[in-house]
Each structure stands twice: as structure tokens, then as C-alpha cells.
Amino acid sequence: RVEGLERLPAVGPRIVVANHASYADAILLGAVLPPEFSFAAKSELADVMLIGAALRRLGIAFVERFDAAQGVEDTRALQARVRAGESMVFFPEGRLRRASGLQPFKLGAFVIAAETATPLVPVTLNGTRSLLRDGAWLPLRSAIEVTIGEAIPGGGPGWDHALALRDTARKALAAHLAEATHDV
């Protein structure tokens, strides 16, 4: 079930932030969102045989999670893509975990939205953790719900704006998440 697709701004670049509970999340969002969205993915996927090549052909933006200097460069490159009109999807939790609820957020998507004044759209995924859990390779039957929240204006440049975007998006995601959310 998809709710709120009409809330997605129709024109201009947009940044979607979604909770990340399953390997199926990106496939699900790729099916639900308009085709002009690109995805950010952990750089480790670039080196996985066959998968890395396929993701590069799809225009995936690989981002470094552990090298801070490279992470800054990746953020600048993504800002350039957004300024050029590209819409992006981020999973700000950064990785899958078996634990339910929202995990701590990495700040890249929020810095990019703030610095480029791009609307941020929170998208809550429910049911994907049951569909395909971390560490599992066989899916289980599961009801899936995608809730697209109200767009949050990108604000302005600066760390304070990025943190405010993170906090606002986290509250929006938590409001629709059918799992217990831990305060971070």
C-alpha cells in the first residue's frame, strides 16, 4: 500500500530520506518513486561482483561511510548532482540492523538538503523488515506500507539547518513507523 504519493513535489530536485530495515527497501522505492530518482549507497557495494557493475549502470552514487575526508568529497559531489536538478534517495540510518525502530542518522542527506535548499521528503517503510530481514536471503510474505510525508523545505546553509532538517525528518518518520523507535 502506498500513501501520499501526491505529497511528492512534482518539479525540481527532491531529496527522499527513508528508514532502512531490509535489502528490499531500495527495490521497493525504485518501484514506487518516479524514475528520475537516483540512490545513494554505501561504497562497499561498488566492489561486489556483478552487483557493483549493475548499480553503476543505474547511476547509483556510492558514498564512503568510514573515511571522513572522502565522505566530505562525496557530499560535495552529491550537492553538485542535486544543484544540477537530480533527485536523490538516502537511507540516513546508513546500514541495516536486526534491531527494530529508527537507528541514529548520518547527516549527509540533511547537509545536502540544507546547502542546496532542496525539499526533503520523509518516506516511512513498514513491513520490509518482516519481508527480508538482515542476514536473510529468502523473503517471507509480508504486508508492505509506504507512507510519503509532507515535504520539508530545505532551509538554508549551515550546520544548524542540517540538524533541524534531521530532527524534523526523524519525527516525521517515527510518526508513521509501526516499530518502536528509540530516542537518539
Side-chain angles (χ1 to χ4, degrees):
R1 188 182 81 172
V2 178
E3 179 185 320
L5 199 53
E6 72 282 355
R7 294 185 197 120
L8 196 62
V11 296
R14 297 140 296 174
I15 294 176
V16 163
V17 290
N19 58 304
H20 198 20
S22 168
Y23 292 115
D25 295 340
I27 295 167
L28 178 63
L29 287 176
V32 168
L33 295 173
E36 66 268 13
F37 277 86
S38 297
F39 286 75
K42 60 185 179 181
S43 62
E44 300 95 292
L45 290 176
D47 298 327
V48 177
M49 193 182 320
L50 299 176
I51 293 173
L55 293 176
R56 276 190 289 282
R57 289 195 59 159
L58 290 171
I60 299 297
F62 294 105
V63 294
E64 176 57 46
R65 299 181 303 154
F66 303 111
D67 178 343
Q70 184 60 52
V72 169
E73 289 304 313
D74 293 343
T75 299
R76 287 185 183 132
L78 289 170
Q79 285 175 1
R81 288 175 72 163
V82 170
R83 282 189 178 109
E86 196 167 344
S87 293
M88 301 290 304
V89 176
F90 291 87
F91 297 104
E93 293 170 288
R95 63 177 285 241
L96 294 176
R97 292 181 178 88
R98 290 187 72 86
S100 64
L102 290 176
Q103 304 303 315
F105 284 177
K106 298 199 177 291
L107 291 173
F110 309 104
V111 169
I112 293 165
E115 293 293 327
T116 62
T118 300
L120 190 75
V121 182
V123 176
T124 308
L125 305 174
N126 281 300
T128 62
R129 189 180 311 278
S130 299
L131 173 72
L132 190 62
R133 295 186 70 82
D134 179 26
W137 293 103
L138 295 175
L140 301 172
R141 189 175 189 88
S142 179
I144 306 295
E145 295 177 5
V146 179
T147 305
I148 300 170
E150 294 291 337
I152 303 164
W159 193 248
D160 289 339
H161 289 289
L163 293 176
L165 286 171
R166 178 204 58 193
D167 295 346
T168 303
R170 186 174 182 83
K171 286 178 188 170
L173 290 169
H176 296 285
L177 191 61
E179 300 177 343
T181 299
H182 312 286
D183 289 332
V184 179

